[in-house]
């Protein structure tokens, strides 16, 4: 572990121990009872984490139509994501406008608080203590002991979609694993995306997502170009975030089998394209979860991190994983991805109904 990362981890653990010493003790094994009129859910910061939280919110709204669902956000990304979700009652950004946050959150008392992180986080644990709730729920972890009325004991390596939905068991709300599939609330489409979707026909369409969010998850442009040349008869669509639009344009111009597509403004526009695909090739990003939402088969490009794959990998869709032996997604050989795509020629790998 790098010194800086180790120091941050030690700080989080020391902070958790301090809270365990100072905060009123909760036994971690109390069963839920009483009314459920309001819930505060501490949402994780990254876009993929937000997508994996949508099943819990959908099921809560479906089974408790009058429930007040408050999202406590810790990043602008997560706040923006949930602000457009009609199933959410209110979104509160814990790190900005502290006066407003104090008035709208810290002055309230919720029936339930749910900390979605299964490892110690200083910000999440602080808000878990500060926010008043009749019943507080977290995931089992020695640094969470004493701070929650109930600690969920689902296996650490379980998929996060299921770990989020484990709260429902505690609340005695019936659901099945299929209902834990991610979904996105509809948003208006730009005219460019609307027209583009209308132009797509029934060709065999393969999507490639060139955006990764982190350098060690990025596959180089040269390898994407080499991959496209190996499948001259396939039709590809390039998906990219705002920071990779120039690379997207370069690939579209240099590869005759790529269908030029407009830039997407949000994740819902990405979803509408992905649901048209027969296959998506993507690094370990939120688009893996968008594929899960649309039941689109995935070829995932991953670092060698078994727990990341089990916790955040493809969920209830057909998939092939290309795993780097170097610790960097860039280390994955083109031939490995070619072989994974060739496996999809088997009709049994097709899109689920």
């Amino acid at each position: 572990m790098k010194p800086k990362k180790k120091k941050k981890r030690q700080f989080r653990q020391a902070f958790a121990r301090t809270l365990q010493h100072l905060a009123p003790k909760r036994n971690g094994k109390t069963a839920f009872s009483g009314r459920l009129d309001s819930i505060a859910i501490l949402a994780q910061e990254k876009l993929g984490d937000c997508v994996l939280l949508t099943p819990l919110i959908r099921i809560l709204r479906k089974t408790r139509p009058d429930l007040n669902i408050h999202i406590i956000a810790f990043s602008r990304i997560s706040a923006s994501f949930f602000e457009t979700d009609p199933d959410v009652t209110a979104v509160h950004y814990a790190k900005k406008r502290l006066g407003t946050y104090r008035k709208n959150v810290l002055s309230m008392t919720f029936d339930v608080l749910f900390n979605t992180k299964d490892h110690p986080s200083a910000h999440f644990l602080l808000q878990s203590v500060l926010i008043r709730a009749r019943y507080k729920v977290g995931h089992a972890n020695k640094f969470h002991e004493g701070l929650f009325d109930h600690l969920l004991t689902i296996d650490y390596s379980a998929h996060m979609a299921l770990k989020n939905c484990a709260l429902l068991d505690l609340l005695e709300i019936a659901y099945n694993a299929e209902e834990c599939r991610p979904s996105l609330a509809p948003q208006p489409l730009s005219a460019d995306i609307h027209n583009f979707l209308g132009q797509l026909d029934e060709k065999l369409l393969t999507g490639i997502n060139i955006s990764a969010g982190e350098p060690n998850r990025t596959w180089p442009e040269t390898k994407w170009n080499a991959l496209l040349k190996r499948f001259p008869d396939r039709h590809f669509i390039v998906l990219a975030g705002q920071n990779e639009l120039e690379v997207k344009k370069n690939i579209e111009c240099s590869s005759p089998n790529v269908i030029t597509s407009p830039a997407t403004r949000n994740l819902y526009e990405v979803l509408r394209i992905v649901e048209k695909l027969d296959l998506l090739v993507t690094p370990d990003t939120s688009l893996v979860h968008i594929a899960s939402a649309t039941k689109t088969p995935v070829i995932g490009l991953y670092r060698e991190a078994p727990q990341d794959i089990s916790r955040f990998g493809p969920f209830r869709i057909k998939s092939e994983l290309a795993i780097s032996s170097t610790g960097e997604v860039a280390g994955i050989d083109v031939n490995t991805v070619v072989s994974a795509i060739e496996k999809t020629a088997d009709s049994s790998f097709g899109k689920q109904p």
Side-chain angles (χ1 to χ4, degrees), residues 208-265:
I208 63 168
N209 170 36
I210 63 174
S211 297
E214 298 178 12
N216 60 7
R217 296 184 182 185
T218 300
W219 212 43
E221 180 182 351
T222 54
K223 291 191 173 182
W224 285 117
N225 282 321
L227 178 70
L228 298 180
K229 290 178 181 178
R230 299 286 291 273
F231 296 96
D233 297 328
R234 276 184 178 261
H235 295 89
F236 289 86
I237 295 175
V238 181
L239 299 168
Q242 292 298 313
N243 294 333
E244 291 79 29
L245 290 181
E246 190 64 33
V247 178
K248 167 181 161 68
K249 183 178 179 180
N250 292 340
I251 294 175
E252 289 173 337
C253 291
S254 62
S255 302
N257 52 340
V258 171
I259 300 172
T260 301
S261 60
T264 52
R265 299 178 305 167

Side-chain angles (χ1 to χ4, degrees), residues 33-190:
S33 63
R35 296 180 62 86
L36 178 57
D37 295 327
S38 62
I39 183 170
I41 302 175
L42 277 57
Q44 298 191 47
E45 300 92 335
K46 295 182 179 180
L47 196 53
D49 297 315
C50 296
V51 176
L52 292 177
L53 189 54
T54 59
L56 172 62
I57 294 170
R58 300 281 177 271
I59 297 170
L60 286 172
R61 178 58 65 218
K62 177 183 176 182
T63 58
R64 301 289 192 275
D66 297 326
L67 178 64
N68 289 306
I69 301 174
H70 293 255
I71 296 296
I72 311 302
F74 293 83
S75 71
R76 175 41 56 189
I77 290 173
S78 60
S80 298
F81 179 88
F82 289 110
E83 281 169 352
T84 61
D85 191 332
D87 288 332
V88 171
T89 305
V91 178
H92 311 281
Y93 193 4
K95 296 182 179 181
K96 296 290 183 181
R97 298 179 181 176
L98 298 183
T100 302
Y101 183 77
R102 187 181 301 111
K103 176 183 177 182
N104 294 339
V105 178
L106 299 183
S107 65
M108 295 180 62
T109 299
F110 299 92
D111 289 318
V112 174
L113 175 145
F114 181 35
N115 180 345
T116 59
K117 284 209 172 181
D118 55 6
H119 54 278
S121 161
H123 288 297
F124 277 65
L125 288 180
L126 178 61
Q127 295 306 318
S128 295
V129 171
L130 292 179
I131 295 173
R132 290 184 287 185
R134 179 171 58 84
Y135 190 77
K136 298 187 179 185
V137 184
H139 288 285
N141 184 291
K142 68 179 181 179
F143 297 102
H144 288 181
E145 293 173 1
L147 301 176
F148 298 91
D149 295 287
H150 194 95
L151 292 174
L152 301 170
T153 57
I154 187 169
D155 189 270
Y156 180 78
S157 62
H159 201 282
M160 284 305 300
L162 296 175
K163 298 189 82 167
N164 289 331
C165 286
L167 174 68
L168 299 167
D169 296 312
L170 184 61
L171 301 178
E172 297 185 342
I173 295 175
Y175 69 100
N176 57 51
E178 176 60 24
E179 290 179 286
C180 294
R181 184 185 298 279
S183 62
L184 294 187
Q187 295 185 43
L189 299 177
S190 70

Side-chain angles (χ1 to χ4, degrees), residues 285-325:
T285 69
S286 59
L287 263 65
V288 171
H289 312 316
I290 294 302
S292 295
T294 59
K295 301 182 181 180
T296 302
V298 158
I299 294 174
L301 311 184
Y302 282 82
R303 298 168 296 167
E304 192 172 11
Q307 289 188 336
D308 284 355
I309 295 171
S310 67
R311 286 154 51 79
F312 301 102
F315 181 71
R316 297 181 71 83
I317 54 174
K318 295 174 182 178
S319 62
E320 291 285 339
L321 302 184
I323 301 175
S324 174
S325 59

